[in-house]
Amino acid sequence: MKAHTSPAGLALFLIVLGLLASFTGLTAAFVTHLHVCRYLIAAGCLVQFAGWVRYAKRSKGGTS
């Protein structure tokens, strides 16, 4: 076993965290009809996007 996590660990964590936040916000917006839940959906999408960008830079070398 490795003593440390792989570099993809943080990227995967961000992707899953963003997905959970988006689904939670979507469910809350559907149930409560509050417009403020849209911010949770947007934040979840941004976190998920950051995770995918981090994963792409790790696996393909990135553009910079």
Side-chain angles (χ1 to χ4, degrees), residues 3-60:
H4 56 82
T5 60
S6 67
L10 181 60
L12 180 62
F13 177 72
L14 290 175
I15 292 168
V16 171
L17 184 68
L19 186 68
L20 288 174
S22 296
F23 281 161
T24 302
L26 185 66
T27 304
F30 181 73
V31 171
T32 63
H33 301 288
L34 292 175
H35 296 291
V36 74
C37 295
R38 289 189 227 172
Y39 295 116
L40 182 59
I41 297 169
C45 290
L46 286 174
V47 169
Q48 188 177 10
F49 179 75
W52 281 113
V53 167
R54 186 166 177 88
Y55 175 76
K57 283 187 179 183
R58 179 194 157 276
S59 62
K60 296 178 186 152

